[in-house]
Amino acid sequence: MAGWEALDAVLAYASEAFSSPLAIGVQIQGCIICLILAFGWASAARVRSRELKRIKDGEKAGNSLAFLYPNINDLEYSTQKRLPRVSVVMPLKGFAEHNYNNWKSQLVSLYGGPLEFLFVVESTDDAAFPVVSQLISDWKDRVDAKVIVAGLSTTCSQKIHNQLIFIQTGYPIDIPSGSLGSYCIFEYHMVCLFS
């Protein structure tokens, strides 16, 4: 009988604890979060159904690539020439077996608009520098590409430093100083620049 009384005491304590204003507030918050998640799930299901219907209608209309793009004629070269200019920034460090082919595959991108490639290295002593310089000279008549030497990083990782040096040299923005704070600010805003 003592076991039942202990269990009854635990249940009475739990009932009292879960009836406190704080516990009720947490329960209400949990219900609200569940409702928001359920609304998001229902909205996503609706969007997915609408997109699947668009794809099926496109395929019926003769667009076999409707799953890629609603109007495949918009992907013709004459339309792509009006696309915005894009800069592809590739921070490099060292050279490995497949790097040359990876970099070359970037240069033969199928993007139809104006495109430039900026390879950023730490120094001319980097193993990637002579290889990428040769790659650029091999493709100089077909692509707009250049190598930027960023220098050694002293306040952040070399990759972040290389990206920030690109921003300094590639776009007309002023980085106020070489402090860690300015690097953090521009790393935060970098997403906005490339969006």
Side-chain angles (χ1 to χ4, degrees):
M1 221 29 152
W4 288 110
E5 290 175 6
L7 178 63
D8 191 39
V10 168
L11 291 176
Y13 175 76
S15 174
E16 200 174 302
F18 288 125
S19 299
S20 72
L22 175 65
I24 291 173
V26 169
Q27 292 171 20
I28 291 172
Q29 180 184 10
C31 290
I32 291 171
I33 290 171
C34 288
L35 288 173
I36 290 171
L37 291 172
F39 177 75
W41 177 82
S43 298
R46 185 169 175 247
V47 168
R48 185 173 189 274
S49 296
R50 186 174 44 211
E51 189 65 17
L52 287 173
K53 183 181 181 319
R54 182 199 58 78
I55 291 170
K56 287 178 183 175
D57 292 345
E59 288 174 346
K60 287 179 186 173
N63 180 5
S64 61
L65 298 174
F67 64 95
L68 290 175
Y69 200 74
N71 185 359
I72 201 66
N73 295 327
D74 287 348
L75 298 179
E76 290 180 356
Y77 181 72
S78 60
T79 305
Q80 286 192 16
K81 286 194 308 189
R82 296 189 305 264
L83 292 172
R85 182 172 181 80
V86 172
S87 294
V88 178
V89 181
M90 290 186 273
L92 309 177
K93 178 74 173 164
F95 181 72
E97 180 182 349
H98 300 289
N99 287 9
Y100 181 84
N101 289 329
N102 290 341
W103 300 335
K104 185 177 173 183
S105 70
Q106 293 296 317
L107 293 178
V108 296
S109 170
L110 296 177
Y111 183 74
L115 188 59
E116 74 173 330
F117 296 92
L118 301 164
F119 297 92
V120 187
V121 294
E122 175 185 313
S123 70
T124 55
D125 297 330
D126 192 317
F129 182 79
V131 178
V132 81
S133 296
Q134 181 62 44
L135 177 67
I136 290 172
S137 68
D138 292 346
W139 287 78
K140 67 181 174 199
D141 298 331
R142 292 175 269 184
V143 297
D144 177 14
K146 64 182 173 181
V147 179
I148 297 172
V149 178
L152 184 63
S153 173
T154 57
T155 56
C156 61
S157 74
Q158 190 64 45
K159 182 177 180 181
I160 302 280
H161 176 74
N162 290 356
Q163 292 172 339
L164 291 170
I165 291 298
F166 156 72
I167 291 174
Q168 276 184 314
T169 59
Y171 285 99
I173 336 178
D174 182 30
I175 294 184
S177 69
S179 70
L180 179 60
S182 66
Y183 278 115
C184 292
I185 290 168
F186 276 93
E187 184 62 24
Y188 173 79
H189 290 286
M190 191 180 298
V191 176
C192 301
L193 289 171
F194 297 121
S195 315

